[in-house]
Amino acid sequence: MTTKKKSISKEDIVSIYMNTILEKGQKPKSVYLFAKENDFTEAEFYAFFGTLEGLEKEIFRLFFENTVSLLHKNEEYQQYDMKNKMLSFYFTFFEVLTANRSYVIEVLKMDRNPLKNLVQLTSLRESFKEYVSEILTDDYRLEVEKLQKFQEKTIQESAWLQLMLTIKFWMEDASPAFEKTDIFIEKSVNASFELMNVAPMNHLIDLGKFLFKEKMYSKQ
């Protein structure tokens, strides 16, 4: 009697791919070879991913999802203000990256062209920008509604740039337990929230409105 072959899961394929990268130090040449060498079919691969590049992007998105899942298990997290939510995200996200450090370092340095390596982060980028939008509170929003959409996009992009700089710092960090990265996170997040302080900007907008009205009335 032949035993039925166990179906392969999305998580199985992710794990196999990461191990392949770490053991061989190079990416599979094709989906066909990747599937054949690991005893599953192309059809099973395509049930979850469209391409090998799509799989690579999904791995970093899963790092993000794992981070958010861990954050929501902390009952106190929902009560945090935006800055403390962002700090919690950073510390948790880099714990997840550290648990997979060998893979992350390998794939983000694999190609001589850094831009090709960064393509893997496109799904992470979109997920992270959505996260920033979700935790953005009125404390950091301009009072003028017409400027809020532009402001939100600016905050999302600057937050993404900050995350990229932190990843680069972490990749080069040789300190025990990556303690320098922890210091970098705290200082950079604190600094970014100081720059996001909208009170002075709201005052400038109010002054601009006042001067505009005064100018209009003076012409009458």
Side-chain angles (χ1 to χ4, degrees):
M1 181 178 177
T2 58
T3 56
K4 188 177 179 181
K5 180 185 172 184
K6 181 185 173 184
S7 60
I8 194 164
S9 68
K10 178 180 179 179
E11 291 73 21
D12 291 333
I13 294 176
V14 166
S15 179
I16 292 168
Y17 186 82
M18 292 174 71
N19 287 334
T20 298
I21 294 293
L22 292 172
E23 290 169 6
K24 296 189 175 182
Q26 62 181 20
K27 299 178 182 182
K29 300 294 184 185
S30 66
V31 172
Y32 169 78
L33 288 174
F34 175 54
K36 183 178 180 182
E37 289 172 1
N38 292 284
D39 197 28
F40 61 90
T41 67
E42 285 186 86
E44 287 175 308
F45 177 92
Y46 289 125
F48 303 108
F49 308 102
T51 61
L52 289 172
E53 291 75 19
L55 167 56
E56 292 168 350
K57 293 176 185 179
E58 179 66 6
I59 290 171
F60 281 94
R61 195 189 68 80
L62 288 173
F63 291 158
F64 171 85
E65 272 196 0
N66 191 11
T67 299
V68 174
S69 176
L70 289 169
L71 289 173
H72 285 285
K73 287 179 181 177
N74 179 1
E75 294 180 2
E76 296 178 358
Y77 170 77
Q78 296 298 340
Q79 309 306 318
Y80 290 166
D81 60 16
M82 184 181 176
K83 185 171 83 169
N84 282 308
K85 281 184 177 179
M86 187 64 80
L87 281 169
S88 297
F89 173 85
Y90 264 89
F91 287 127
T92 307
F93 182 67
F94 280 91
E95 283 180 10
V96 172
L97 288 193
T98 298
N100 299 277
R101 183 175 172 85
S102 295
Y103 173 81
V104 175
I105 297 290
E106 184 72 33
V107 294
L108 291 185
K109 290 186 173 182
M110 189 165 282
D111 199 290
R112 290 182 179 180
N113 183 347
L115 292 177
K116 287 187 177 180
N117 294 322
L118 295 180
V119 168
Q120 298 172 77
L121 304 182
T122 52
S123 293
L124 168 63
R125 179 176 181 271
E126 293 308 310
S127 296
F128 178 69
K129 284 171 62 179
E130 287 178 15
Y131 172 78
V132 172
S133 180
E134 287 170 6
I135 67 171
L136 182 60
T137 61
D138 289 340
D139 293 337
Y140 298 98
R141 281 194 177 96
L142 292 170
E143 291 174 359
V144 180
E145 194 171 329
K146 289 181 180 178
L147 296 177
Q148 286 180 3
K149 193 170 184 180
F150 172 77
Q151 179 206 22
E152 185 171 320
K153 287 184 177 180
T154 302
I155 290 173
Q156 287 176 327
E157 293 299 339
S158 60
W160 171 247
L161 177 59
Q162 183 179 5
L163 182 61
M164 294 287 287
L165 291 172
T166 310
I167 290 174
K168 185 176 186 301
F169 187 95
W170 170 80
M171 288 175 67
E172 297 171 356
D173 187 4
S175 64
F178 308 105
E179 56 191 22
K180 287 184 180 179
T181 296
D182 288 345
I183 295 169
F184 181 84
I185 287 171
E186 192 155 0
K187 289 186 179 297
S188 62
V189 170
N190 284 334
S192 68
F193 274 83
E194 285 295 322
L195 292 171
M196 279 171 58
N197 184 5
V198 298
M201 184 61 72
N202 280 325
H203 290 320
L204 284 173
I205 291 171
D206 286 341
L207 175 61
K209 285 181 179 177
F210 172 76
L211 292 173
F212 178 76
K213 287 179 181 178
E214 287 297 307
K215 191 173 182 181
M216 290 297 291
Y217 287 135
S218 67
K219 290 181 178 180
Q220 295 177 1

